[in-house]
Amino acid sequence: MSRAAEDSDAFVACGEVRTCLLPTRDALDERTAVELLHLRPDERVRVSRHPNRHVVSPDVLTGVDCRLPTDTGARVRAVGTVRSRASLVEGRVIQSTASFSLPAVGADRRQSWGYYLVRPGLLVPLGRLPESAVVRGFLRGHRQGELDVGSIAESVLAHISRQDRILDHDPPLTAADTRLRWTAVRTTADEEPSSLLTKNEDGLSTLELRLPPGVAPSEAVGLCEDLALHDWLLTTVADKLDGLPTAAADGRAVLRVLRPLVDHLLHLWMPRARVDRALQTAWNQLEEAPGFSRQWNALAQRIRDQLAVRAIHLPDEVPGRR
């Protein structure tokens, strides 16, 4: 089945994105990044070089036959495949994504696997889908015996992290992993597209998207990956600057914190670089509240100001000086 045909069946899409620093001292070059993300021998790794270098693995399909999470306790069985992939931004930040789409109504009986395999990334419910209960239940988190797409995304990262011939597991800075769990549904004709982001204390954020009628919910994957990347960048830099000592006596300690941020992260901020034009409204709402770019610009300026001050007091320690 073509992607267009799959999207025509989609009524709801759900997924989870895991984002972390690639566990290696130096950023990978393009050739090595392609080797790292060559997850399937029968499919090519995709590379985009503009406006930054972005390497994406082939899709990997995982067959599932299980209950879907619901907030009502309703037992909703679905069968099909979850689509997962990994991406690497500028050889430095690695992401893994697991996602699936759901039609509004499925067959009353389970079909043979051949029926589901020609619909990659589509989970077909047995009977009618209780949309609201599944969306709320997915965002809340799975219970025992229910579908856990986060573990599928995590397994992709685990597979990549075991490639010791490529990775030296000596990253230039410590950074927490983040998770973005998201749902996307189409709006009705009289309803405005919207996005609602909620951040928790444990590194998990949830995103509820309501998309224009002409946009298939599965198209939200790229938007959610872009948001997850920039949320991770913002979280990582803000955490590093939180409580940063500024006394003159601590100048070298400050530079040890700031230099890795300059060398490895600041140039990665490029929101909406690969977001479909039809989904720009959702990103624009996130720019208004909570105001991602405003906060990032303030943090980046703080780093530049600190480096300027250190250049006066510790000229031999400024990043880039010899």
Side-chain angles (χ1 to χ4, degrees):
M1 174 179 283
S2 69
R3 187 60 178 264
E6 172 205 331
D7 286 347
S8 67
D9 288 339
F11 184 67
V12 176
C14 305
E16 189 162 317
V17 186
R18 303 288 176 98
T19 307
C20 62
L21 190 72
L22 189 70
T24 189
R25 168 60 54 175
D26 298 312
L28 299 188
D29 58 43
E30 182 180 310
R31 181 189 61 80
T32 309
V34 169
E35 182 181 357
L36 181 72
L37 298 191
H38 197 203
L39 302 184
R40 286 177 53 181
D42 59 331
E43 293 284 348
R44 294 181 59 185
V45 175
R46 291 176 288 142
V47 178
S48 171
R49 299 184 178 91
H50 304 288
N52 57 10
R53 204 170 297 270
H54 188 247
V55 180
V56 183
S57 77
D59 288 340
V60 176
L61 300 178
T62 302
V64 298
D65 180 349
C66 59
R67 290 169 51 195
L68 296 175
T70 63
D71 71 333
T72 61
R75 301 176 68 88
V76 181
R77 181 184 175 190
V79 187
T81 56
V82 174
R83 190 192 301 268
S84 58
R85 69 183 186 187
S87 59
L88 185 62
V89 181
E90 288 288 352
R92 187 71 279 174
V93 180
I94 187 77
Q95 293 185 286
S96 66
T97 303
S99 63
F100 60 90
S101 299
L102 292 159
V105 181
D108 291 333
R109 296 184 305 166
R110 189 191 188 284
Q111 307 297 306
S112 67
W113 269 114
Y115 174 86
Y116 304 106
L117 292 177
V118 297
R119 295 167 171 80
L122 194 71
L123 295 188
V124 183
L126 270 62
R128 180 169 294 277
L129 179 74
E131 174 199 333
S132 297
V134 169
V135 167
R136 291 193 298 264
F138 184 83
L139 292 172
R140 178 214 63 209
H142 71 284
R143 296 188 178 97
Q144 185 175 3
E146 297 176 338
L147 176 62
D148 177 11
V149 297
S151 66
I152 297 176
E154 187 62 33
S155 69
V156 175
L157 280 182
H159 171 78
I160 291 172
S161 68
R162 288 194 295 267
Q163 300 195 43
D164 297 334
R165 185 174 57 82
I166 296 176
L167 305 176
D168 58 26
H169 298 280
D170 183 27
L173 69 154
T174 57
D177 301 352
T178 59
R179 299 173 290 151
L180 176 67
R181 187 179 298 150
W182 58 270
T183 59
V185 299
R186 288 192 182 98
T187 61
T188 59
D190 59 347
E191 187 180 6
E192 290 293 324
S194 64
S195 56
L196 176 61
L197 178 68
T198 304
K199 299 193 67 171
N200 300 320
E201 296 296 328
D202 58 355
L204 171 67
S205 298
T206 59
L207 178 66
E208 300 173 65
L209 292 171
R210 300 194 69 84
L211 307 177
V215 177
S218 58
E219 291 298 320
V221 173
L223 167 66
C224 295
E225 289 174 334
D226 193 59
L227 172 61
L229 168 65
H230 291 86
D231 182 46
W232 180 87
L233 286 170
L234 191 58
T235 299
T236 299
V237 173
D239 286 350
K240 291 297 181 184
L241 297 183
D242 184 32
L244 184 72
T246 56
D250 295 320
R252 288 175 178 81
V254 170
L255 290 176
R256 284 194 292 271
V257 174
L258 298 184
R259 181 163 189 165
L261 302 181
V262 174
D263 289 345
H264 299 280
L265 299 186
L266 288 193
H267 63 290
L268 300 183
W269 187 265
M270 211 169 292
R272 292 173 289 192
R274 293 179 176 85
V275 175
D276 188 276
R277 182 174 298 179
L279 300 175
Q280 294 286 344
T281 299
W283 238 118
N284 292 341
Q285 290 181 353
L286 294 170
E287 288 288 27
E288 293 174 5
F292 274 22
S293 289
R294 289 198 303 274
Q295 185 178 1
W296 176 265
N297 291 337
L299 293 173
Q301 187 59 51
R302 182 181 173 192
I303 292 172
R304 297 186 188 101
D305 292 343
Q306 284 292 323
L307 291 176
V309 170
R310 302 306 157 187
I312 297 172
H313 295 286
L314 295 167
D316 294 333
E317 300 294 335
V318 173
R321 295 245 184 146
R322 294 291 183 267

